[in-house]
Each structure stands twice: as C-alpha cells, then as structure tokens.
Amino acid sequence: MKKKQLIIQLLPILFGFFVMGFCDIVGFSSDYVQRAFGWSSAMTGFVPSLVFVWFLFLGIPVGNLMNRWGRKNTVLLSLGLTLIGMFLPLLAYNSFTCMGAYAFLGIGNAILQVSLNPLLANVVRQQRLLTSSLTAGQVIKAASSFVGPEIVLLAVSNFGVGKWYYCFPILGCITLFSGLWLAATPIAREKESGCQSVLSLGNTFLLLKDRTVLILFLGIFFVVGLDVSTNFISSKLMVARFDWSVEASRLAPQLYFLSRTTGALLGTFLLARLSGRSYFRVNIVACAIAVLTLVFINDELISLAAIAGIGFFASSVFSIIYSMALQVRVDKANQISGLMITAISGGGIVTPLMGAAIGSVGITGGVWVVFACVIYLCFCAFARYQKS
C-alpha cells in the first residue's frame, strides 16, 4: 500500500519536470524570433535572458516564502504563471507579447525549479534514492526539451512560419493538465522552518560564506550556462559551418537533448549505486573533450557527435551538484534550494556573452564560451572539499 501511495504522489511531481523543460524551447525558437523581427545575433543572445534572468531575482525570495506558502502550493503558483504567459501572444502578436511570453515562462520556471525539487523530498525520504529521483526528473525534463523543437515545428507546419508562436498555447494546455493533476493529488505538507519571509534574504546569502556552498552555487551557475549555451549554439553552428537550413538545424538541439535524456536515464540507475563525486569527475572530463572536439574539428558528423557528447556527459551534473548542496545544511534545505536555483540565472548571463562572441569572432568564439563553463565544472568536480 505504501508503494502504491508513493507512486500516486510521485507521478504528478515527476510530470512537473516535463513542464520545467519548456524553457529549453528558447534555444530553437530564438531562430524564429530573430527571423520574425530582424534582430542581430547579439540581440538574439538576450532572448534566453528573458527566461533565465528571473532565477537571479526570484530564487531566494521564493525559497524563503515557500516556508509560508508550502511547497505544493508554490508549485501550483508557478504553473499558473506559466499558463498566463503561454496565451499572451494570442492576444496580440508582436515583439512585446512574445517577450512577455518568454518572461512569464521564465518567472514560472524559476518558481517551479525552487519548489518542485524540494517537493520531491516530501515524498522520497532516503538520500541516495532522492538523488536518483532528482536525476529521473532530469530525464523527464530532457525528454521535454527534446520534444520542444517538434512542438514549435508542429505549429509551423500546421499554421505557417508566421504562426510559429502557436507553440505557446500548446505548452499552456500541457501546463494546465499538470496543475490539475498535482492539485488533485494529496501530498503531506512539510514542517515549517523558522525563516518565513524575504527578510531572511541576507541570511540566505550568508550561506555563501561556506566555501562548499559557494563552489556548488557557482557549479549550478556554470552547468546551466553550459546547458543553455549548447542548446542555443548547436543549431546556429550547423547553419554557420555547414549551410544547413533553419528547419534542418533542429536536428542538432534535438540530438543534444536526446543524448541528455539517455545520459540522465543511465545516471538515474548508476547514481543509486555509485559515488556521485566519482561519476561527476569522469563525465565532466569526457564533456571537456567533446567541447574541444567541437572547437577544432570541422566535420558535420563529428560536430553532431560532439554536441551529443556534451549532452550525454553533462546530463547528471545538475542533479549531483544540487543533491550535494542540499546535504551541506539539511536544516536550511528551502533556503539552499532557493540559492541554488538563483544560480540558474547563469543560463541568462552566459548566452548574451555567447551572442557577443559570435557577433565579434564567429561561431567558434561561441564554442569557447561553452568550454569556459566546462573548465569551472572540472574545478568543481575535483575540489578537495567535496564529500561523497
């Protein structure tokens, strides 16, 4: 009976990770935004910022307010805000409403990331199984990211290139289903901690005085920067180097997310049995080799293999770092969750740098930005302070 109840509670939470993956359409859909409004590469580089900058502003306040609201209620709030944004472009199609849709997607996603991971801990108690479950959530998120370009192309093929933004209401309907399913599922509320308001914002930042928390915080920053920047540049690299069409170039981000899904699925099983630290080390070194291959070898198949390699080897890194961070101060789990989710803003900060690099020195300059993210993650993996 307990196992059946666990599954009933777990399924709607894990489906929330599918909604979490919607933010990754920003990489592929930015090509259509650029073409629709005639933006430069540097300007287009700010499109992901509309999604990911909200993690910087909302991560810690939501992490603290979640003590008052409850984790499940906070997840439902995030889904409601996402739903609003997904129907904005239908009111009036222009650059303002499209930016608004991306912004609401980012706001909802920021709140979702802060609350959904801890909500999983309400159901899964054992630490090693929690790490495995978090990785399972990343599998579902990666699967959503893989499907994302197809949803955009579904809108394009049925309504025309000019109606690409119809992908948003499709995502909105899925979000509505997720919210209704979770709302109907009974999940026990966690005990409130002493910190209940945004007045504890300073106290949360004080957690960064702990060297372990600081380095893991930057680890989240750069692993998300690696993920978003690879998603962002993959299709553009195939267009720039090998003259692929925009529609054909969707293969690159899809291959990336398929490989990430496969890697995360493998990690779900392996991390229940192996040391997270050792797994992190092996995979991030392999990821660095894949990025360098993308820099120095100018071949279509090898480039696609390198993009796939980055997705595969980096797939479990977020879960490992996040799980390690939660173990540093168990009594501050909500605050550390908010702090770590704040670091997801790396996805909105790295991509403008990549856009500037592409605009000034070409597509290879953007790949070097990806490599810079991997270099820090190598440091994070081999730092002596870390504990398995």
Side-chain angles (χ1 to χ4, degrees):
M1 187 64 184
K2 286 185 177 180
K3 184 176 181 181
K4 182 179 179 181
Q5 184 180 12
L6 174 64
I7 294 173
I8 290 173
Q9 293 177 329
L10 196 58
L11 287 177
I13 298 175
L14 289 177
F15 190 78
F17 284 93
F18 191 84
V19 177
M20 193 183 292
F22 291 170
C23 63
D24 289 322
I25 70 161
V26 68
F28 181 68
S29 62
S30 65
D31 295 332
Y32 286 94
V33 175
Q34 183 174 16
R35 190 159 58 178
F37 303 116
W39 291 352
S40 65
S41 294
M43 180 64 181
T44 307
F46 280 96
V47 174
S49 298
L50 293 171
V51 175
F52 292 98
V53 73
W54 302 104
F55 292 90
L56 178 63
F57 299 113
L58 296 178
I60 293 174
V62 171
N64 292 330
L65 285 168
M66 186 164 57
N67 292 301
R68 180 185 302 167
W69 296 340
R71 294 170 182 174
K72 179 181 174 180
N73 291 334
T74 307
V75 171
L76 292 174
L77 172 64
S78 73
L79 296 175
L81 291 171
T82 301
L83 185 63
I84 292 172
M86 294 303 90
F87 288 94
L88 271 181
L90 293 184
L91 300 178
Y93 174 57
N94 52 51
S95 60
F96 179 77
T97 54
C98 283
M99 288 189 292
Y102 283 123
F104 268 98
L105 178 61
I107 292 169
N109 210 274
I111 298 173
L112 183 62
Q113 295 244 25
V114 173
S115 54
L116 191 62
N117 290 304
L119 182 61
L120 192 60
N122 283 26
V123 176
V124 181
R125 304 292 183 180
Q126 189 177 342
Q127 185 59 51
R128 192 173 286 255
L129 289 179
L130 177 59
T131 302
S132 180
S133 298
L134 286 169
T135 306
Q138 293 303 306
V139 173
I140 297 170
K141 180 178 182 291
S144 173
S145 301
F146 173 75
V147 172
E150 290 301 322
I151 293 177
V152 177
L153 289 175
L154 177 66
V156 170
S157 62
N158 283 278
F159 304 105
V161 175
K163 302 291 186 180
W164 67 270
Y165 58 92
Y166 277 25
C167 65
F168 290 129
I170 297 174
L171 300 179
C173 291
I174 299 172
T175 302
L176 178 61
F177 171 77
S178 177
L180 293 175
W181 188 8
L182 181 62
T185 304
I187 298 175
R189 177 166 174 163
E190 68 285 352
K191 294 181 180 179
E192 292 188 21
S193 68
C195 179
Q196 295 188 345
S197 74
V198 291
L199 295 177
S200 60
L201 183 67
N203 291 333
T204 302
F205 273 115
L206 284 176
L207 291 171
L208 291 174
K209 294 177 67 176
D210 185 316
R211 184 170 179 269
T212 300
V213 175
L214 175 60
I215 297 180
L216 293 175
F217 172 85
L218 292 175
I220 293 290
F221 182 96
F222 283 107
V223 74
V224 175
L226 167 66
D227 179 33
V228 176
S229 60
T230 304
N231 172 28
F232 180 78
I233 201 174
S234 58
S235 59
K236 295 169 178 58
L237 183 141
M238 303 310 292
V239 171
R241 285 188 177 175
F242 309 113
D243 295 322
W244 285 23
S245 67
V246 172
E247 286 71 24
S249 69
R250 80 183 190 278
L251 175 63
Q254 283 186 310
L255 184 60
Y256 170 74
F257 287 121
L258 178 62
S259 299
R260 200 177 76 174
T261 304
T262 304
L265 182 61
L266 180 63
T268 300
F269 296 102
L270 293 181
L271 285 169
R273 298 166 176 82
L274 303 176
S275 163
R277 180 184 182 186
S278 298
Y279 197 76
F280 185 8
R281 286 179 170 180
V282 171
N283 279 273
I284 202 61
V285 170
C287 184
I289 294 171
V291 177
L292 288 175
T293 300
L294 201 59
V295 171
F296 293 110
I297 300 181
N298 190 15
D299 178 86
E300 280 182 292
L301 291 178
I302 293 177
S303 294
L304 287 173
I307 290 169
I310 296 169
F312 182 86
F313 294 118
S315 59
S316 298
V317 172
F318 179 93
S319 299
I320 294 171
I321 296 176
Y322 185 88
S323 179
M324 290 170 63
L326 290 182
Q327 293 175 55
V328 176
R329 291 287 303 275
V330 178
D331 60 316
K332 299 288 186 181
N334 282 358
Q335 286 68 48
I336 287 182
S337 176
L339 192 61
M340 293 299 127
I341 298 308
T342 298
I344 292 179
S345 60
I349 295 173
V350 171
T351 47
L353 296 176
M354 174 173 281
I358 294 173
S360 59
V361 299
I363 200 72
T364 302
V367 181
W368 279 115
V369 174
V370 177
F371 186 67
C373 295
V374 178
I375 288 296
Y376 179 82
L377 291 170
C378 287
F379 164 74
C380 187
F382 286 90
R384 292 183 180 180
Y385 68 88
Q386 293 184 5
K387 300 179 181 178
S388 300

